[in-house]
Amino acid sequence: MPAVSKGDGMRGLAVFISDIRNCKSKEAEVKRINKELANIRSKFKGDKALDGYSKKKYVCKLLFIFLLGHDIDFGHMEAVNLLSSNKYTEKQIGYLFISVLVNSNSDLISLINNGIKNDLASRNPTFMNLALHCIANVGSREMAEAFASQIPSILVAGDTMDSVKQSAALCLLRLNRTSPDLVPMGEWTARVVHLLNDQHLGVVTAATSLITTLAQKSPEDFRTSISLAVARLSRIVTSASIDLQDYTYYFVAAPWLSVKLLRLLQCYPPPEDAALRSRLTECLETILNKAQEPPKSKKVQHSNAKNAVLFEAISLIIHHDSEPTLLVRACNQLGQFLQHRETNLRYLALESMCTLASSEFSHEAVKTHIDTVINALKTERDVSVRQRAVDLLYAMCDRSNSKQIVAEMLSYLENADYSIREEIVLKVAILAEKYAVDYTWYVDTILNLIRIAGDHVSEEVWYRVIQIVINQDDVQGYAAKTVFEALQAPACHENLVKVGGYILGEFGNLIAGDPRSSPLVQFNLLHSKFHLCSVPTRALLLSAYIKFINLFPEVKPTIQDVLRSDSQLRNADVELQQRAIEYLRLSCIASTDILATVLEEMPPFPERESSILAKLKKKKGPSKVPDIDEARWNVNGNTEHSENTEPTNKSSPPSLMADLLPTNRPRPASYSPTILSAGNMAPSHPFTDLLNLNSSPAAGASLLVDVMSDLSTPAPTTTTTTPAATDVCEEHFSRFVCKNNGVIFENQLLQIGLKSEYRQNLGRMYVFYGNKTSSQFLSFSSSVTSSDTLKTHILPLLPPLLTVNIHTKPVDPTVEGGAQLQQILNIECVTDFSDAPVLSVQFRYGGTLQNIGVKLPVMLNKFFQPTEMTSQDFFQRWKQLGVPQQEVQTIFKAKHPMDTDVTNAKILGFGVALLTGVDPNPANFVGAGVIHTKSTQVGCLLRLEPNPQAEMYRLTLRTSRESVSQRLCDLLSEQF
Amino acid sequence: MMRFLLLFSRQGKLRLQKWFTPMTEREKKKITRDMTTMVLSRQPRSCNFLHWKDLKIIYKRYASLYFCLAIENQENELIALEVIHRYVELLDKYFGNVCELDIIFNFEKAYFILDEFLMGGEIQETSKQMVNRSIEASDMLQETMEEYMSKPAF
């Protein structure tokens, strides 16, 4: 085989490189380089025309210097000249230089384009490949404009060489990524799909990459690729390991191509055609089976390639989320990997299980591995593996195991690496809040967090604990007692002082009866920390003191003495000084009544999404926070049961106060302490009420109307217009009939996730726009169109962290790369309806305007309230609804395996109560519920009769309204 | 898709850099610095994968050189690890028992081989024979270009 200086060694270059290597210091290196640059410059400027070889050598030296990290400001022209050389190696160096050094804005682009054009037209495959590579490497807009129309024809022409086809496919892919508008679909697209049948596996691999990217953008145009991809995959997985010759990699048949095909299939839902579907299932089963076979080689490359295919197959199974048996097998396989001796496999198993945990079919199966995962957290040597274990524990957490998981995370936190502490703190805070059955546990957990990792507890976390304590009457006494005890520690974290100051200021009276925590003891305890704290904390403590004056008149003189001291009244910090003066005056001149009003207990905070979650999402990027089912962020307590309880509508607080903890906002000098009491600001702000789903429907409805007129400058511009003529994506629509959360739309750029909740005829939908790219979206706007029967209102209510840009630039909202934007839609069902609203999203990405239309999964059944009834009641009502128009019946073939548990879950998800023991035939499913609309309520009974032999179902619906029966029947019959 | 591939030595000296998306020199330097510090500080026998911003970093050490490949979030880590290995195999086949010095002195060849193997952040040709054949063919071209040009193209 050839040795080092092969083909066309350039001796001058080798000498130069070894000179550089021999330099003893950085200075010597710079000196040598400057000498060389001067030499090259003089050669280029010299009178004597350089021969091709010398030009190549100097250009190559410049390239080397550039790659060392030095700036190069000449030589571009000489490199461009090399393109027109007819010596391959000279041309090659010219192209390399351009690929590495030329920016898209270079004024040489037209010259370069000329060289490329000649090479593309040369019909010499090696030259064409060089030119295509150059286009792909530079990929600038000018190049795309010049060549985008030409490349598709090179790709599909019958006489193009295989290697050129490969380059053309990938070149086109690159241009499509940077300038999609310049690569219009056309007659060539159908022919590209047929490249999946090509004999040359290299061509198939390149084509699959291209098709996958195009299919993500316009799935409809490439739907025919599904069957070809399945066929190809099937041939690969069933081939003997030597069939594919050099495309077999360490005894694994075409692993790269297999992975790519499996990725392509992830652009689509499971195939509808039954034969195709079963062929794909067979492939996936074969891949899972192979994992159990003994390895054909001991080399790590063999197991890596084999497992790469396996993991991609598991991703596809999770993506389809429709075959419970495959999902469970996948979960078991990953379970095996959790204990594998290869660290890589343990890491990947933890990562994949995270996504599996969010599937309803496999959540329980994932949970069985909890001990292994906790063990990984304790014993893994590698921090990145431990981090995946934390992620998985977070994803698998639910009510049944939350205490254990939170306890394990807390104990891990004590020794955790600093790099991941903040994230763990956020996760613990979220889980503790979400799964708190009693709030004393929650308070204990958060105080523990502050104790263990105080420095990593961000403001969001301690704001949140205060919001919750304020809103939960029953935990206030406990919280006061607990913080009082925690503050006894000689050294406690400043965050604890903040929480302690705030809570004692509000609820210190609840523990003042005990002589061990009398008002004076409480005050002295807080004040003993005062001098060790930063200015914002001291400011907070001053507010706590004035609140003490109101709560405990007996300590008034003591506190006034403190406020009056020079260290307060003449404090160098203007905020502290002002507070001291104002509070002192207030305590002297105001009567007890006024004082009591001004310093009244803080009103409950409005219900809102946890800003902690927003913070975690921002930290991890939108797609990395696993969606846990039924996330409900609710300060006001358990919404799950709110329909049974009276609305907890205590004097609606002004939302202005929501984020306002007195210390952290700069305020104008005229800011009066009265704002400390929200009670004074009685007129309720419509905004807040809107968010409060617990308010009565009638009031909610009228306020909805009011608010629309208030929204003159909503942050993401929201208008109610007819959608632009874009295609409306309905791909995932039907998957939302029986569930409320998930991803409704996803392409290369944007992911739209939904979380929704419904109460009677009102609903609220959180729409999450995730920017999947690393660059900004500009002019981001969205609008919703719906029929008159359904009112949808968009509130530009966004968690504070994410919206800074939006609020400051309402005209030109941007979504940063990797960031997530949240929007809230309030929905009111006026009367029964069948057309779903359409969400239109527009934004600018890389210079092109993107238009996306998504059908929002707001269906009639979302407004169901389940109704429990006895067998007797059921049949009585069933008979009452006996008019032929009231009944709608359909018989249909099962599209999914007929599993009783799954069907139960789906019927419950549909919104009705599942009535057991009603139907004489226990195999049948019977349900009842009431649809709430603004004007009326429609009772509804349903019966689903499975016939496992024929794999058929009969579905019957009876409601008092024909249109409702029909619509519900249409929706539900699609689900089985 | 792959975003970039970096080869650096144990001392953090960059030996090869391939960027599959346009980036400013400043960004490149910043990323290079991040990658070298992050990867070089890893303990031996750790796993080969890291999360970095919205990318996955796959790295592997071969003798004195670290190969560090960034892929997008939804991509497959294990197959990326084998992309690195296949590239090492290609270098090895071309140079014959490749070492860091080969890549320093023949950096342009290392880039050419990479270009035959990857393109636009995707794998172009996975067959070792195919890649080698085209690299050898282009080496031959230097001598025979004149003859080659006088022949019909196909």
Side-chain angles (χ1 to χ4, degrees):
Chain A
M1 275 318 291
V4 174
S5 63
K6 175 174 172 164
D8 59 324
M10 288 174 274
R11 234 176 64 85
L13 177 67
V15 170
F16 174 59
I17 293 175
S18 61
D19 277 4
I20 295 287
R21 283 178 54 77
N22 290 333
C23 287
K24 293 278 181 289
S25 65
K26 193 80 195 161
E27 291 75 37
E29 184 186 306
V30 172
K31 208 170 145 200
R32 178 69 185 86
I33 285 171
N34 285 338
K35 188 178 149 206
E36 192 63 38
L37 285 175
N39 171 41
I40 299 173
R41 205 179 303 235
S42 73
K43 293 281 194 233
F44 283 168
K45 279 201 181 137
D47 314 327
K48 212 170 64 181
L50 286 176
D51 59 25
Y53 171 80
S54 313
K55 221 186 269 177
K56 177 180 85 171
K57 183 178 72 186
Y58 293 130
V59 166
C60 211
K61 278 183 181 175
L62 286 178
L63 186 59
F64 181 79
I65 294 169
F66 177 78
L67 290 171
L68 275 181
H70 301 268
D71 288 337
I72 295 294
D73 54 4
F74 69 102
H76 301 73
M77 199 58 201
E78 284 72 16
V80 174
N81 286 340
L82 285 176
L83 296 190
S84 47
S85 163
N86 58 1
K87 281 226 164 64
Y88 179 76
T89 49
E90 289 168 18
K91 211 186 251 299
Q92 203 180 17
I93 295 285
Y95 273 122
L96 180 61
F97 183 92
I98 288 163
S99 307
V100 175
L101 255 100
V102 171
N103 288 325
S104 48
N105 53 7
S106 164
D107 42 2
L108 292 173
I109 282 285
S110 60
L111 285 173
I112 298 170
N113 279 356
N114 205 29
I116 293 176
K117 204 161 119 198
N118 291 336
D119 284 334
L120 279 185
S122 72
R123 299 182 58 78
N124 172 335
T126 33
F127 287 6
M128 288 172 86
N129 275 339
L130 280 180
L132 289 168
H133 266 283
C134 182
I135 300 173
N137 276 326
V138 178
S140 70
R141 195 149 177 96
E142 288 88 340
M143 278 196 185
E145 275 164 1
F147 302 110
S149 56
Q150 200 179 340
I151 295 169
S153 45
I154 297 178
L155 174 59
V156 297
D159 59 350
T160 306
M161 301 269 291
D162 288 334
S163 66
V164 179
K165 271 190 198 163
Q166 284 164 273
S167 306
L170 295 179
C171 182
L172 197 56
L173 168 57
R174 175 73 167 76
L175 295 185
N176 182 275
R177 282 196 178 124
T178 39
S179 321
D181 54 314
L182 295 178
V183 187
M185 301 294 145
E187 173 261 344
W188 60 275
T189 46
R191 298 172 65 183
V192 165
V193 172
H194 282 278
L195 289 178
L196 290 176
N197 270 337
D198 203 282
Q199 290 192 329
H200 189 287
L201 285 191
V203 172
V204 184
T205 310
T208 311
S209 297
L210 174 64
I211 295 167
T212 305
T213 305
L214 297 175
Q216 279 164 353
K217 288 180 184 166
S218 42
E220 278 315 309
D221 290 339
F222 294 91
R223 202 166 276 280
T224 48
S225 65
I226 303 175
S227 59
L228 293 177
V230 172
R232 191 96 223 187
L233 184 67
S234 163
R235 268 179 282 156
I236 295 173
V237 297
T238 54
S239 66
S241 55
I242 43 157
D243 285 359
L244 303 173
Q245 293 158 355
D246 205 34
Y247 289 91
T248 299
Y249 180 82
Y250 292 88
F251 304 101
V252 181
W256 278 281
L257 181 53
S258 308
V259 167
K260 294 234 168 260
L261 291 168
L262 289 162
R263 275 217 67 77
L264 170 58
L265 291 170
Q266 286 171 62
C267 301
Y268 294 96
E272 275 150 27
D273 177 70
L276 193 58
R277 198 182 160 105
S278 72
R279 194 162 180 202
L280 177 56
T281 307
E282 261 168 44
C283 286
L284 295 171
E285 276 167 351
T286 313
I287 294 171
L288 285 168
N289 291 341
K290 278 188 182 170
Q292 300 302 329
E293 289 169 11
K296 294 200 177 72
S297 155
K298 286 221 159 52
K299 290 249 164 84
V300 67
Q301 283 75 26
H302 170 70
S303 76
N304 280 351
K306 185 166 137 183
N307 291 326
V309 178
L310 177 61
F311 273 103
E312 206 58 53
I314 290 175
S315 296
L316 180 62
I317 292 169
I318 297 172
H319 169 80
H320 282 172
D321 196 10
S322 63
E323 300 274 358
T325 42
L326 285 178
L327 279 162
V328 169
R329 280 195 69 183
C331 188
N332 292 340
Q333 180 62 56
L334 295 178
Q336 284 182 19
F337 283 151
L338 283 183
Q339 319 229 30
H340 204 278
R341 60 188 169 75
E342 278 266 333
T343 316
N344 284 346
L345 290 179
R346 295 198 302 275
Y347 175 100
L348 294 175
L350 290 166
E351 190 179 61
S352 286
M353 267 204 181
C354 262
T355 37
L356 210 48
S358 52
S359 160
E360 52 182 315
F361 298 116
S362 48
H363 183 78
E364 288 303 316
V366 171
K367 272 168 62 184
T368 59
H369 298 290
I370 183 165
D371 293 333
T372 320
V373 182
I374 287 172
N375 196 38
L377 194 60
K378 290 178 176 159
T379 58
E380 283 290 349
R381 291 154 32 106
D382 183 348
V383 53
S384 41
V385 184
R386 292 198 297 272
Q387 188 153 7
R388 296 287 86 76
V390 171
D391 287 349
L392 178 54
L393 284 178
Y394 178 75
M396 65 160 68
C397 192
D398 62 19
R399 238 177 245 298
S400 70
N401 56 19
S402 55
K403 287 221 164 146
Q404 186 189 6
I405 286 179
V406 166
E408 291 295 345
M409 281 179 153
L410 273 175
S411 78
Y412 173 59
L413 188 58
E414 309 224 23
N415 306 308
D417 314 72
Y418 285 94
S419 55
I420 60 173
R421 280 193 173 197
E422 188 185 353
E423 195 185 310
I424 298 175
V425 167
L426 292 173
K427 289 190 161 149
V428 169
I430 289 169
L431 294 178
E433 176 185 340
K434 194 156 126 189
Y435 297 117
V437 183
D438 67 297
Y439 280 90
T440 57
W441 175 69
Y442 170 75
V443 170
D444 285 342
T445 305
I446 300 294
L447 291 181
N448 262 331
L449 269 186
I450 297 176
R451 185 178 57 76
I452 297 169
D455 287 340
H456 301 274
V457 172
S458 56
E459 291 188 327
E460 286 82 0
V461 174
W462 73 263
Y463 285 6
R464 191 70 181 162
V465 68
I466 284 173
Q467 289 179 3
I468 287 179
V469 169
I470 300 242
N471 289 24
Q472 300 298 324
D473 295 343
D474 48 344
V475 77
Q476 290 160 354
Y478 180 80
K481 181 163 160 287
T482 317
V483 292
F484 178 79
E485 280 161 9
L487 283 170
Q488 308 279 351
C492 50
H493 195 272
E494 189 166 332
N495 279 334
L496 182 66
V497 178
K498 290 178 186 168
V499 175
Y502 201 102
I503 288 182
L504 291 181
E506 294 292 329
F507 308 114
N509 55 329
L510 298 177
I511 56 167
D514 188 327
R516 283 167 300 175
S517 53
S518 70
L520 194 61
V521 175
Q522 285 185 39
F523 172 73
N524 286 335
L525 180 61
L526 280 181
H527 200 54
S528 69
K529 316 283 178 192
F530 188 89
H531 302 280
L532 303 170
C533 292
S534 63
V535 168
T537 308
R538 286 195 215 179
L540 184 145
L541 286 178
L542 288 180
S543 299
Y545 296 168
I546 186 74
K547 291 230 160 190
F548 269 20
I549 290 184
N550 174 45
L551 292 178
F552 317 118
E554 64 267 37
V555 294
K556 184 169 168 179
T558 320
I559 292 177
Q560 281 178 330
D561 283 347
V562 169
L563 292 176
R564 204 175 284 130
S565 71
D566 274 0
S567 61
Q568 308 300 347
L569 284 189
R570 299 194 174 173
N571 196 294
D573 184 89
V574 67
E575 175 72 30
L576 291 182
Q577 195 187 81
Q578 187 178 353
R579 283 193 190 212
I581 293 171
E582 286 179 0
Y583 293 163
L584 184 60
R585 286 304 291 159
L586 183 68
S587 70
C588 294
I589 57 170
S591 71
T592 335
D593 282 355
I594 293 180
L595 214 54
T597 317
V598 171
L599 300 170
E600 200 184 344
E601 190 180 299
M602 289 291 277
F605 288 86
E607 182 187 333
R608 55 175 44 213
E609 178 178 350
S610 165
S611 51
I612 307 178
L613 188 67
K615 169 134 181 159
L616 182 65
K617 281 177 181 158
K618 188 173 172 91
K619 204 172 154 56
K620 294 222 85 181
S623 52
K624 287 186 206 153
V625 181
D627 229 10
I628 320 179
D629 60 316
E630 295 300 307
R632 287 197 175 150
W633 301 101
N634 180 5
V635 205
N636 292 339
N638 261 341
T639 33
E640 279 106 315
H641 307 299
S642 63
E643 53 265 25
N644 304 328
T645 52
E646 280 300 300
T648 50
N649 214 355
K650 301 177 191 168
S651 69
S652 312
S655 65
L656 291 174
M657 293 294 290
D659 264 341
L660 186 71
L661 287 164
T663 56
N664 71 327
R665 291 222 174 157
R667 37 177 220 180
S670 61
Y671 185 93
S672 128
T674 47
I675 202 156
L676 280 177
S677 157
N680 280 0
M681 306 174 70
S684 75
H685 194 284
F687 223 77
T688 335
D689 252 358
L690 245 186
L691 293 180
N692 190 349
L693 276 179
N694 293 338
S695 58
S696 72
S702 63
L703 281 165
L704 284 172
V705 182
D706 287 343
V707 159
M708 279 311 276
S709 53
D710 277 6
L711 290 177
S712 45
T713 51
T717 326
T718 51
T719 43
T720 313
T721 49
T722 43
T726 45
D727 288 340
V728 175
C729 167
E730 297 185 24
E731 191 187 341
H732 300 297
F733 182 80
S734 67
R735 292 169 66 181
F736 280 81
V737 170
C738 296
K739 65 175 193 177
N740 285 335
N741 304 329
V743 172
I744 184 79
F745 175 84
E746 182 154 16
N747 66 11
Q748 278 243 302
L749 307 175
L750 179 73
Q751 184 189 55
I752 304 182
L754 298 179
K755 242 178 224 178
S756 26
E757 44 191 29
Y758 293 87
R759 198 82 60 228
Q760 299 184 330
N761 71 323
L762 295 180
R764 183 191 309 159
M765 187 176 275
Y766 298 87
V767 187
F768 300 90
Y769 303 95
N771 179 347
K772 290 170 65 181
T773 70
S774 42
S775 35
Q776 287 183 333
F777 292 164
L778 299 171
S779 318
F780 192 92
S781 71
S782 64
S783 61
V784 174
T785 33
S786 61
S787 56
D788 293 341
T789 48
L790 189 70
K791 284 190 191 165
T792 320
H793 297 288
I794 305 175
L795 282 190
L797 188 118
L798 305 126
L801 271 173
L802 297 178
T803 58
V804 180
N805 279 333
I806 308 295
H807 279 308
T808 50
K809 289 190 231 161
V811 197
D812 183 43
T814 52
V815 186
E816 296 295 330
Q820 197 184 50
L821 186 71
Q822 184 197 335
Q823 205 173 30
I824 298 180
L825 269 53
N826 277 321
I827 299 156
E828 184 189 12
C829 178
V830 180
T831 163
D832 71 276
F833 66 97
S834 54
D835 290 336
V838 173
L839 174 73
S840 317
V841 182
Q842 287 187 336
F843 59 90
R844 226 163 238 294
Y845 170 73
T848 25
L849 189 64
Q850 308 282 334
N851 263 315
I852 292 164
V854 181
K855 199 160 158 189
L856 285 178
V858 181
M859 305 94 165
L860 189 55
N861 66 298
K862 298 294 179 196
F863 302 95
F864 253 130
Q865 295 280 103
T867 319
E868 293 289 347
M869 55 177 79
T870 62
S871 176
Q872 195 187 355
D873 287 347
F874 184 86
F875 283 109
Q876 192 182 352
R877 295 200 194 175
W878 184 264
K879 279 186 205 123
Q880 284 166 0
L881 297 168
V883 185
Q885 292 85 20
Q886 292 174 330
E887 178 180 291
V888 173
Q889 189 172 72
T890 176
I891 295 171
F892 56 92
K893 189 135 183 75
K895 288 200 279 290
H896 303 277
M898 300 175 81
D899 182 300
T900 311
D901 290 341
V902 175
T903 310
N904 276 337
K906 281 182 175 167
I907 291 181
L908 284 172
F910 193 62
V912 295
L914 191 65
L915 306 178
T916 47
V918 169
D919 201 298
N921 178 354
N924 292 347
F925 304 89
V926 167
V930 177
I931 300 261
H932 288 255
T933 73
K934 189 184 172 194
S935 51
T936 173
Q937 300 188 348
V938 183
C940 167
L941 305 175
L942 73 82
R943 186 182 196 204
L944 180 73
E945 298 157 278
N947 180 346
Q949 285 77 43
E951 294 188 340
M952 302 285 277
Y953 286 102
R954 181 165 70 182
L955 174 65
T956 315
L957 271 135
R958 286 192 181 186
T959 77
S960 50
R961 235 183 240 212
E962 188 186 355
S963 56
V964 173
S965 304
Q966 188 59 53
R967 179 60 185 156
L968 291 177
C969 184
D970 292 347
L971 285 168
L972 191 58
S973 60
E974 288 294 301
Q975 299 299 314
F976 299 102
Chain B
M1 77 179 276
M2 296 170 243
R3 293 287 191 84
F4 55 82
L5 171 69
L6 304 178
L7 270 63
F8 46 82
S9 69
R10 253 190 306 170
Q11 291 74 36
K13 282 251 183 206
L14 191 59
R15 298 303 183 201
L16 182 138
Q17 44 175 318
K18 182 76 184 176
W19 308 90
F20 295 109
T21 49
M23 245 177 280
T24 63
E25 287 309 313
R26 180 194 286 253
E27 282 172 316
K28 289 180 189 171
K29 284 192 176 141
K30 164 103 180 51
I31 291 175
T32 310
R33 211 166 37 236
D34 282 4
M35 289 303 125
T36 45
T37 36
M38 204 165 78
V39 169
L40 292 175
S41 65
R42 298 273 294 163
Q43 298 290 318
R45 284 190 295 141
S46 298
C47 76
N48 298 89
F49 316 129
L50 291 166
H51 276 232
W52 180 78
K53 300 199 173 163
D54 59 342
L55 299 178
K56 289 174 178 171
I57 307 299
I58 317 299
Y59 73 93
K60 189 161 181 182
R61 180 176 160 182
Y62 287 86
S64 59
L65 265 191
Y66 283 88
F67 289 67
C68 173
L69 179 64
I71 56 176
E72 288 178 351
N73 205 6
Q74 69 281 10
E75 301 272 325
N76 190 309
E77 289 99 334
L78 284 174
I79 207 77
L81 199 55
E82 294 317 298
V83 166
I84 293 178
H85 187 74
R86 175 63 20 131
Y87 181 47
V88 174
E89 287 183 348
L90 290 168
L91 291 171
D92 201 56
K93 176 107 179 159
Y94 183 81
F95 290 108
N97 211 355
V98 67
C99 67
E100 191 181 341
L101 277 182
D102 292 325
I103 295 171
I104 297 171
F105 279 96
N106 300 277
F107 70 96
E108 80 284 10
K109 293 286 178 208
Y111 280 97
F112 295 150
I113 295 171
L114 189 62
D115 271 350
E116 292 291 338
F117 177 45
L118 306 178
M119 178 173 177
E122 300 287 346
I123 196 151
Q124 177 176 220
E125 179 54 83
T126 64
S127 155
K128 195 154 69 172
Q129 283 172 12
M130 289 287 184
V131 176
N132 278 317
R133 213 175 289 158
S134 48
I135 294 166
E136 273 166 32
S138 61
D139 270 343
M140 295 300 288
L141 274 180
Q142 198 202 6
E143 280 81 23
T144 59
M145 181 59 66
E146 297 303 328
E147 304 160 38
Y148 189 90
M149 288 307 285
S150 57
K151 276 196 283 190
F154 289 100

